[in-house]
Amino acid sequence: MTVLSFSVASCKNSDDAFFYYPVIIASNIENGTVTADKTSAASGQTVTLTAIPDDGYELESFIVTDSSSQAITVTENAFVMPTGIAIVSATFVLSRTTADDVITLINAIGTVAYTSDSKTKIDAARTAYDALTSDQKAQVTNYETLTTAESTYSSFAVSAVIGLISDIGTVAYTSDSKAKIDAARTAYDALTEAQQAQVTNYETLTTAESTYRSLTPVSINGSGFSVTTWENEPGDNLGTE
C-alpha cells in the first residue's frame, strides 16, 4: 500500500476533554470503496467501516494502520482509534461465489441428451457464464465442459432435423405427409443459421414442400369437378382443402 506523507494537527472538542484525530481513507483503493462512520475520533473510540465492492468483487480485508505504519486490529468491520491518525485501506478480490456458481451450473448439465431439460441446463450455464467479468471467466475451470455440451446438443439438434426430413419419404396428398413436412420445416426453422448450414438434406425438404403443393385434390362439386391449387412458398404451413 502506498501512503503519501502528510501532516495533521490534532484538535480539541469544545470542553477540551479529548483530542480528536483524523480517520483517513486511502486514495489508492482498487475495485471498491470504503467509508467510515467518523471522519475523526478520540483515542479509544470505535470507528466502524463499510466496504462497497465493485461489481464482481468482494471484500477480502480491511487494512488500518497508525501514523507509524503499525497495524491496528479490525474486528467485525470496526477498530479502536489510536492516539493519533488512522489510515484505512482495503483489499477487494474477485468474487469467487459468482464463478463457483457457474462451475456448479456447468457440472449440473451432466450427460447431454436432445431434451428440453438438457437444453435448459446448458442455456442456464451459458447465460450465467456470459454475465461474468473477463477475470471471473478465467476462474471457471470447467468451461470446456460447457462448450462440449453445447456442441453435442447442437449436433443432436441437426441430426434430429436430418432425421425428420428423411422420414418424409414419398410425398402424397395426405394428412400424414403434411404432418411430416410441417414437422421437419418447424424443426429446421428453429435451428441457428450455423446449424441450418449443417443440414445436408435440406433440398429434400424444399422438394417435398414443392411436391405437396403441386398435388391437385379433386372433389365432386355438384355435377362436375372443382380443382384447388396453392401458391404457398417453401416454409409456409401446408393446408388442405
Side-chain angles (χ1 to χ4, degrees):
M1 178 184 70
T2 302
V3 178
L4 301 177
S5 61
F6 51 85
S7 60
V8 179
S10 300
C11 59
K12 296 182 180 181
N13 67 357
S14 58
D15 59 7
D16 291 342
F18 299 101
F19 282 92
Y20 282 77
Y21 302 95
V23 176
I24 300 172
I25 307 297
S27 61
N28 59 343
I29 299 174
E30 297 181 344
N31 306 315
T33 58
V34 173
T35 60
D37 68 339
K38 298 177 179 66
T39 57
S40 63
S43 176
Q45 284 190 317
T46 298
V47 179
T48 301
L49 305 175
T50 300
I52 306 172
D54 290 344
D55 288 343
Y57 288 83
E58 61 187 24
L59 175 70
E60 182 178 52
S61 64
F62 287 113
I63 304 167
V64 182
T65 57
D66 61 17
S67 58
S68 300
S69 298
Q70 295 299 307
I72 298 172
T73 301
V74 179
T75 304
E76 295 183 354
N77 298 341
F79 67 92
V80 176
M81 191 70 180
T83 304
I85 65 172
I87 303 168
V88 179
S89 186
T91 301
F92 293 92
V93 295
L94 288 169
S95 173
R96 286 294 305 179
T97 301
T98 304
D100 287 345
D101 285 346
V102 174
I103 290 172
T104 299
L105 285 171
I106 293 175
N107 286 335
I109 292 173
T111 302
V112 178
Y114 189 57
T115 63
S116 59
D117 181 62
S118 235
K119 184 176 187 304
T120 297
K121 291 178 178 178
I122 293 170
D123 289 348
R126 167 55 65 184
T127 299
Y129 178 85
D130 288 346
L132 298 178
T133 66
S134 57
D135 288 337
Q136 288 173 317
K137 288 177 180 177
Q139 298 178 12
V140 178
T141 55
N142 58 350
Y143 178 61
E144 187 176 348
T145 300
L146 172 58
T147 57
T148 299
E150 290 173 323
S151 178
T152 300
Y153 188 87
S154 177
S155 296
F156 286 160
V158 171
S159 295
V161 172
I162 290 174
L164 286 171
I165 293 174
S166 296
D167 191 49
I168 292 173
T170 302
V171 178
Y173 188 71
T174 63
S175 59
D176 181 62
S177 219
K178 173 184 178 298
K180 290 180 178 179
I181 294 171
D182 286 350
R185 167 55 65 183
T186 298
Y188 177 85
D189 288 346
L191 297 178
T192 66
E193 186 174 341
Q195 290 171 329
Q196 289 176 350
Q198 299 175 49
V199 177
T200 54
N201 59 349
Y202 177 61
E203 187 176 349
T204 300
L205 172 59
T206 57
T207 299
E209 290 171 325
S210 178
T211 299
Y212 187 88
R213 285 192 303 273
S214 70
L215 296 175
T216 306
V218 179
S219 60
I220 297 177
N221 183 10
S223 57
F225 294 95
S226 64
V227 177
T228 306
T229 60
W230 297 269
E231 295 181 355
N232 304 61
E233 293 297 322
D236 289 346
N237 231 7
L238 303 176
T240 59
E241 295 293 330

